[in-house]
Amino acid sequence: MPDPFSGFSTRAVHAGNEVDRHMVTHPKAQPIYQTSVFVYDSLAQVDDFLAGNPDNYMYTRIGNPNPAALEELILALEGGEAALFGASGMAAIGAALLGNLEAGDHLIASRELYGTTQSLIEKELGRFGIAATLVDIRDLAAVEAAITPRTRLIYTETASNPLVRVSDVPALAALARRRGLKLLVDNTFLSPALYRPLDDGADLVLHSTTKYLNGHSDATGGILAGDAEWVARARRFQINAGGSASPFEAWLTFRGAKTLALRMQAHSRNAQALAEALEAHPQVARVHYPGLPSHPDHALARRLFPRGCSGMLSFTLKGGLAEVDRLIQNLRLAVFAPSLAGVATSISHPGKTSHRALAPETLAELDIHDGTVRVSAGIEEAADIVGDFLQALDRL
Ligand SMILES: Cc1ncc(COP(=O)(O)O)c(C=O)c1O
């Protein structure tokens, strides 16, 4: 019988592929299942996949062990019945909303939501006949007044960007439950190491895992966790619309999440030290950090986040754009990079980046000014971070 593996190109394609089928031991660290498709030994295995066996993988857009491992890990950290990992925070948010809401439905959202989430709600959901009312989420009477017979969801963020205003999740959850609505909380800024919204009655929790859950500024992703039916519909949407994550991004995030608690302690400690130092500096008009007694949500933050308030803070200079530009040039450790939650300290300018689309009067209403700078405190030594900002401010 001719050998079907005799040709050079055939050997190039097939040799070595079976190595992991013959291994006696298994790897301590999880392998990266960098494959788009899985091999079946029989038709019966296909039937087993279609019967819903979660350990039976067919095609990576539908499921892959690396995203599945991350989903299991985040469920263990956040609680909840089910979880779904997607290609970005926005992919998870899109799957949560478009997979669950119908034309004619209505949602109530914080008017301080992350800018792209607001765009998704206003520019995309609206086109599909899903209406939204944006409210001051700390005004519970305004939230209640916005409820219509078609309202299904209240959507907020644990802490807002960039002023770190805190949502009263327990109160919103009680309101949602009383009125038969679901509460979805984007917990990106706190992470489950510091706060678990599902424990306080939220139905669904979301993360841009691009931020703290991964923590190293090298992988993009998003996770939705909580109510099993909502997550299942979001998963169906993600499979149909194509927002699944790559195995490598899932693997990096899985690896990063293992040190989450240690990192969040350091981020919180450093942000607190920096916030206190900034508040005492003559070039600084205001500092926004819930760990400071001067923050309007300090008491709520102490109640909800006893383990720390995370690494996100912002401050407003007495000067404007020219001074912000000089600050960027003067900083030697902190970099200007419009993302957050990495191990390295970074700053961003909301007016020029995340909030650029907003009209000047809306920005003023939100208390965001030309001189407002957002800081993501990293895990370096506190004295080095504080020293860097003080030397940069002293030279303005
Ligand atoms: C609070 C919050 N939610 C969602 C997102 C979107 O996540 P991604 O950029 O991973 O799509 C971001 C991004 O900055 C964010 O800050």
Side-chain angles (χ1 to χ4, degrees), residues 224-236:
L224 171 72
D227 182 289
E229 284 179 16
W230 276 63
V231 173
R233 285 188 293 261
R235 187 181 298 280
R236 187 192 62 200

Side-chain angles (χ1 to χ4, degrees), residues 209-220:
T209 59
T210 315
K211 311 299 175 343
Y212 284 123
L213 275 159
N214 173 53
H216 294 73
S217 310
D218 55 11
T220 304

Side-chain angles (χ1 to χ4, degrees), residues 25 32 67 76 136 162 177 199 225 230 250 265 308 327:
T25 50
I32 306 171
D136 174 355
R177 203 171 315 115
D199 288 349
W230 276 63
Q265 276 174 21
L327 180 81

Side-chain angles (χ1 to χ4, degrees), residues 87-91 93 113-114 116-117 155 157 159 161 186-189 207-211 219-222 338-340 374:
S88 65
M90 291 317 304
I93 295 168
L113 289 184
Y114 171 63
T116 311
T117 309
Y155 188 144
E157 289 167 1
N161 177 16
D186 182 330
N187 196 29
T188 299
F189 269 37
H207 287 273
S208 166
T209 59
T210 315
K211 311 299 175 343
T220 304
S339 187
L340 57 110
R374 190 189 71 192

Side-chain angles (χ1 to χ4, degrees), residues 192-206:
L194 299 178
Y195 185 59
R196 295 178 12 131
L198 299 178
D199 288 349
D200 272 341
D203 301 284
L204 293 151
V205 63
L206 250 166

